[in-house]
Amino acid sequence: MDSMAQTPEAPRGARYFVLQQYFLRNGGQPGRLHAFLEKGLLAACRRLKAPAPALVLEALVAPHMPQVACLTAYASLDQWLETRARLAADEGFRAALAALEQDAEPPYEDYSEILLEAAPYTPPMPESLPAAPQPRIFELRLYHSPTERQLRALHDRFAGPEIPIFHRVGIHPILYGSTLAGPHKPNLVYLTPFESLAAREKAWNAFSADPEWAKVRAESIARHGQISSVIQISLYRAAAYSPLR
């Protein structure tokens, strides 16, 4: 079993998640960023006993590649802001950041920071995932809804019949949430680990062919219209030093 370093300040039943996405170019940027995240950010969070990224991910298929993403859980917005302030004041973290930025080439093209509010039905963040025979695949999906009313209907569908169908066919997301601050609102965002690309394809094929899902989807459209009008999908693998992988 892979172990995930939990700290007292990072409860498994998190209310908020911050998704950071670093957009890079090929060359030296990915290696420099990974060194900073592993030896600068994660090390500082352990030293400060502060919430640390549970996942550090490298994009396999995404709108911008290369890309590195970090996902961190927080119990409150105050905890997120306090962690940022503590890192900014930490001498070791500041030194690691200075080393990242000292090269003539910028460390990344740019980065985004998306604040997600956990859905009431999101499961506790796992402490570990079962050992896999090969590097695991993580699929990030964003479903954009045309209106807030339809987003509520989408959440109700997930919390009601959809998740049991997911589980029956082998889809087990570890996070469900909606963007509080960030692009493509209103939306539902969820993250799912798969043992392999083949396992992912098998699960989604089974879901698409499931007769109960066909009924649930038809009833949903009849009642609320097309409540997920745009779907964005990105595939990642965990970095070797990612606490959860």
Side-chain angles (χ1 to χ4, degrees):
M1 300 283 282
D2 297 325
S3 62
M4 173 179 164
Q6 289 284 331
T7 67
E9 292 83 1
R12 295 175 61 205
R15 293 183 58 200
Y16 300 95
F17 296 89
V18 173
L19 176 64
Q20 294 171 305
Q21 294 170 298
Y22 295 90
F23 305 114
L24 311 169
R25 62 170 176 254
N26 287 314
Q29 287 183 343
R32 290 166 57 202
L33 181 63
H34 279 302
F36 165 73
L37 293 174
E38 179 182 11
K39 299 175 183 178
L41 177 60
L42 286 173
C45 289
R46 287 193 296 268
R47 185 169 59 251
L48 296 171
K49 296 185 178 180
L55 280 161
V56 181
L57 302 169
E58 300 175 301
L60 297 174
V61 179
H64 183 115
M65 295 178 62
Q67 180 194 140
V68 173
C70 298
L71 181 71
T72 309
Y74 296 96
S76 67
L77 295 178
D78 285 343
Q79 186 184 56
W80 174 41
L81 296 174
E82 178 188 359
T83 300
R84 290 167 61 99
R86 293 177 67 196
L87 285 170
D90 181 76
E91 183 176 344
F93 179 78
R94 291 202 311 269
L97 183 60
L100 174 69
E101 297 179 341
Q102 71 181 1
D103 199 291
E105 179 188 37
Y108 38 72
E109 299 301 284
D110 56 61
Y111 74 94
S112 68
E113 202 164 39
I114 299 171
L115 177 63
L116 302 170
E117 182 175 24
Y121 53 87
T122 200
M125 182 64 69
E127 295 182 355
S128 63
L129 292 171
Q134 55 191 322
R136 202 181 309 273
I137 301 299
F138 291 85
E139 179 177 19
L140 182 69
R141 287 195 171 215
L142 183 152
Y143 291 175
H144 171 72
S145 292
T147 65
E148 293 287 349
R149 172 184 60 82
Q150 288 169 304
L151 176 63
R152 289 193 295 273
L154 182 60
H155 275 293
D156 288 344
R157 191 178 77 190
F158 267 70
E162 191 159 348
I163 290 176
I165 302 172
F166 272 1
H167 291 176
R168 187 170 68 245
V169 301
I171 300 170
H172 298 278
I174 58 175
L175 160 67
Y176 300 94
S178 287
T179 298
L180 278 182
H184 311 303
K185 295 179 61 179
N187 62 45
L188 187 155
V189 177
Y190 64 106
L191 180 69
T192 309
F194 292 100
E195 285 194 357
S196 64
L197 287 172
R200 172 187 175 272
E201 182 177 6
K202 179 181 178 181
W204 280 116
N205 285 342
F207 179 76
S208 298
D210 189 272
E212 184 181 354
W213 164 240
K215 179 183 177 183
V216 166
R217 183 176 183 276
E219 291 174 350
S220 173
I221 292 174
R223 182 175 299 178
H224 304 289
Q226 187 56 259
I227 57 179
S228 55
S229 58
V230 177
I231 300 176
Q232 295 183 4
I233 300 174
S234 297
L235 300 179
Y236 298 87
R237 66 184 172 197
Y241 59 90
S242 177
L244 190 64
R245 57 187 185 274

